[in-house]
Amino acid sequence: MYAEGLSGQVAFDGQFVTITRRGFRARVLVGKGEKRIPLHQVSAVQWKPAGPVVNGFVQFSLAGGNERRSAFGTQTRDAARDENSVVFTHKQQPAFDHLRTAVEGALTAMAGSTASVAPPAPDVVTQLDTLARLLASGALTQQEFDQQKRRLLNS
């Protein structure tokens, strides 16, 4: 999946979002080169659609990134200087919309697959400590404590 905008190109292969910048405009605004962002590091996709006379942009937020809110009327100008954003025209928007949908779909699928993973069970020492506190508080009898302790040590 690939989209070319005013301030760079974005490619998405299912695992990486790659932003490439070439030419004079790239050198002046952000810097020439290529940035590959692993999908698992993308925390959000910000989208501002282009209008008939104003440009839009797509911005990839990264986990742990330091973002600042743009002042009214300066979003697109600020995005042009952001290394994780690409500005596009109204004519280029359909390709970026398709790319955005693919990235968000992959993020949703990735979140769904990690959400079903069960947290690890507490280790035996932690469980024995919990049982000892329950015994001391009177919530367990000595017989119940001994039974649970045997179960933990035999597993």
Side-chain angles (χ1 to χ4, degrees), residues 4-7 46-59 75-77 79 86-98 100:
E4 186 163 344
L6 287 175
S7 64
Q46 182 176 349
W47 175 260
K48 180 185 175 243
V53 292
V54 294
N55 295 326
F57 66 87
V58 63
Q59 181 178 50
Q75 275 186 311
T76 305
R77 185 175 59 226
V86 174
V87 176
F88 54 83
T89 65
H90 187 65
K91 186 177 180 181
Q92 296 166 327
Q93 181 171 319
F96 279 92
D97 192 27
H98 189 61
R100 176 189 109 179

